[in-house]
Amino acid sequence: MEPFLRMDRFPHIWCPGCGIGTVVTCFADALKKGAFDLDRVAVVSGIGCSGRVAGYIKLDSFHTTHGRPIPFATGLHLSNRKLKVVVISGDGDLIAIGGNHFIHAARRNVDLTVICINNFNYAMTGGQVGPGTPVSALSTTTPFGNFEHPFNLPALAASSGAVYVARWTSLHVRRLTNSILEALTKPGFTFVEVIAPCPTLYTRRNKLGTSIEVLGSYRDNCEIRHGADPSTVDITFGGKIVIGKFVDVAGKPTFLESLDAAMQRALGKEYGLGKDYYMRSAGQRALVDREARHD
Amino acid sequence: MKASPEGVLTGAHYLDGDHACAEGALAAGCRFFAGYPITPSTEIAERIARRFPKVGGVFIQMEDEMASMAAILGAAWGGVKAMTCTSGPGFSLMMENIGLGIMMEVPCVVANVQRGGPSTGLPTMVGQQDMMQARWGSHGDYGIIALSPNSPQECFNRTIQAFNLSEKYRVPVLVMMDECVGHMTEKVVIPEPDEIEVVPRRLSPLPPGEYLPYAANGDKVPDMVTAGEGYRIHTTGLTHDERGYPVMTAEAQDKLVRRLRAKIDDNAGKIHDYECKRLDEADVVVVSYGITSRVARAAIDAALDDGLRVGEIRLITVWPFPSGLIRDLAARTKAFVVPEINLGQIVLEVERAAAGGARTISVTHAGGWVHDPQTIYHAIREGLRGNGAPRKPARKPRKEKQP
């Protein structure tokens, strides 16, 4: 793991029993399995417990503002096509405050992999209700039980245009790793939701037991149903959690593929792509030299 | 270094300020633009959308202004020069990520074509009401650079200057246009590429392993790298140390925030740009910026015709504010007259810098149109009456008779 982590930043801030570290491990394993050039992988996070992932991963890593990792990552990707850009953040960050960015990046099919760690609450701020909190669950701001309908994240991603949608839990490390690898390898907007325990705030308040017991409930309560219609995978309090790979669309052009095709159609040879303009036009000879060294 | 020829539309053109701003960005080497349509700035985005594909730039219309601002920060880290444009309500939405740009020290440019506010206000009509927001709109303490062009030619020139300053000081630079300047059409001369000076990114010469992302140089600005070069940097909006790692202490906060202020304040002498006329023997000095500097022309000319000794300062750099210039002048002039299309914003800075040494007269306008030059003329006359009186608004123009 060490090559993937900023060991000089440990110990990390996550609580004992938190699921986020497991996701980091699975992500690192997926990078290793896929033999990615780690100099060309960037991680962008937002704010919250999951937002801290960027801080511990030893890649080019950006800890941005609340809800904005996806547009930040969009700019990073579109300005530097050689980068593989991954967004790792939480459900509050990506789906509530960043929900608009999430659906629009999926609609455009920007080539990003988005890993959303869903722990059913805002944990960094002390356990408030989130956009994925199941109905009747307790949080500090739903002291009498949540009465709002939560988002079904896979359905939201799929209906917005994501080309790859999967959901796993932090118990399913092997499948999660493979799924992240698939998502990283597939061009376009790929989305992996990971259900993870928040033992300090969510599971304790809701009397769901220790993290080990929560992982046990994932084992007992999860049903793997590949290809399930995403609209049927809602999560209810204490109910069955449907996991698996729900969407894997082939052949949908990415944002940049669509852009390039449209411009080439309209402008032909006038379209200024592939001339390594970015570097030259910005007047960055040093950067061009470094690029040459790299290739 | 000189501008790359691909983006430079050399020649004499008939352009409005928005289009000239777009051409300035192209000439400066901007190759990423993310924006959201808003009157009266949209023409900047429209021209860039048309021009970028042929020069290898990427234009993207985002879902909102928060996304636009976040995207240009990401793009800057990706290695390109990036900008966005907006107007009042969108400027408010960008403040969050302008703060991130300040904290991460990201070179980028934001053009704000000001309209009347607050809120939706006067979407198609002029204002200069975001001048204080430009300085203090994002939360926390920081230094910022804002420029104010007063013609389409200046929109071209100052946008290049904005990119150059942003690269030099690693800070978002705000081009504070206004609806009049953005929508007026005039002759704009775009020089040959080798006559346009552009500042390249200050990339670190150090190899990965030795490079510290936030170790500042003598000018208090750290060198930058680009994502994907093997540096494996971390950067965050949290208070951080030289490695870019979060440090939650008062000491780290003090060190970082003071440097973010100092890198602008201590270099202010090099950043400042203003036009001065007849300051040596002036009894009254008119301080203005943007379109108002051109409206004030008529008033100043009339006063000069009357034999009054009127000096002029046109602020090009509005932030950092040239306090020293005003302070020195306050010792030997009677009054400053400050017309602006707001109810008194930059006048507060003039008054602060003058520190009671000279009278400060605010000539206000709530927005929607430019001043009647008469009101500025009357304020000049009033300023001549002497020193020491408290600041009060210039005499109101006579009310028009109802038809």
Side-chain angles (χ1 to χ4, degrees), chain A residues 29-287:
Chain A
D29 282 347
L31 288 175
K32 209 186 312 181
K33 270 189 164 180
F36 289 95
D37 175 356
L38 297 182
D39 286 348
R40 294 289 171 85
V41 183
V43 174
V44 185
S45 290
I47 297 296
C49 293
S50 306
R52 293 302 186 97
V53 167
Y56 299 114
I57 295 187
K58 201 165 158 188
L59 303 170
D60 283 320
S61 54
F62 302 88
H63 181 219
T64 66
T65 37
H66 196 24
R68 321 295 170 220
I70 288 177
F72 188 100
T74 300
L76 187 60
H77 162 64
L78 297 183
S79 70
N80 198 329
R81 295 181 179 217
K82 289 171 184 164
L83 283 176
K84 171 110 256 163
V85 184
V86 186
V87 173
I88 306 179
S89 216
D91 47 314
D93 186 76
L94 291 172
I95 306 301
I97 186 167
N100 200 33
H101 311 310
F102 179 82
I103 60 175
H104 282 279
R107 169 181 68 78
R108 296 185 184 109
N109 202 24
V110 183
D111 189 7
L112 300 174
T113 293
V114 177
I115 300 169
C116 178
I117 302 169
N118 185 358
N119 59 9
F120 300 125
N121 75 145
Y122 287 88
M124 184 69 94
T125 46
Q128 293 77 31
V129 69
T133 309
V135 170
S136 83
L138 296 172
S139 76
T140 59
T141 49
T142 53
F144 309 107
N146 177 31
F147 52 85
E148 291 185 16
H149 300 289
F151 262 130
N152 169 350
L153 274 53
L156 181 67
S159 61
S160 303
V163 292
Y164 182 96
V165 179
R167 175 197 278 159
W168 299 100
T169 78
S170 62
L171 175 76
H172 299 83
V173 287
R174 189 173 50 82
R175 291 184 167 97
L176 173 59
T177 303
N178 290 336
S179 192
I180 292 174
L181 177 57
E182 277 188 347
L184 289 172
T185 315
K186 192 175 177 69
F189 189 90
T190 55
F191 177 66
V192 180
E193 178 188 11
V194 190
I195 308 295
C198 172
T200 307
L201 296 159
Y202 182 78
T203 62
R204 186 168 59 177
R205 180 167 287 113
N206 284 286
K207 302 195 171 22
L208 299 173
T210 63
S211 270
I212 297 292
E213 288 167 316
V214 173
L215 292 178
S217 76
Y218 290 165
R219 182 196 56 208
D220 300 336
N221 265 350
C222 285
E223 182 191 326
I224 299 178
R225 224 196 298 157
H226 292 301
D229 177 351
S231 67
T232 65
V233 302
D234 287 283
I235 293 176
T236 55
F237 190 73
K240 199 191 299 171
I241 299 175
V242 180
I243 55 176
K245 180 169 80 175
F246 306 134
V247 175
D248 193 351
V249 180
K252 185 175 172 182
T254 66
F255 176 87
L256 278 177
E257 285 166 354
S258 302
L259 172 80
D260 289 347
M263 293 303 166
Q264 263 148 9
R265 246 189 337 265
L267 301 173
K269 281 183 183 163
E270 273 193 276
Y271 182 43
L273 187 78
K275 298 182 191 169
D276 207 7
Y277 268 118
Y278 298 131
M279 312 306 168
R280 273 197 300 145
S281 58
Q284 296 169 21
R285 292 205 187 86
L287 188 57

Side-chain angles (χ1 to χ4, degrees), chain B residues 298-337:
Chain B
I300 293 165
D301 285 346
L304 291 172
D305 286 347
D306 292 352
L308 308 182
R309 301 202 300 177
V310 184
E312 284 175 66
I313 299 172
R314 175 169 82 86
L315 301 172
I316 295 166
T317 323
V318 178
W319 304 114
F321 187 75
S323 303
L325 174 72
I326 300 291
R327 190 170 48 239
D328 294 346
L329 270 175
R332 54 192 162 90
T333 193
K334 286 182 179 172
F336 294 101
V337 169

Side-chain angles (χ1 to χ4, degrees), chain B residues 35 51 56 61 132 145 161 173 184 208 229 250 258 287 310 321 397:
Chain B
R51 291 270 285 129
Q61 184 173 315
M132 279 293 171
I145 299 174
Q161 188 181 6
V173 175
M184 69 164 57
E229 289 185 280
R258 284 189 193 282
V287 183
V310 184
F321 187 75

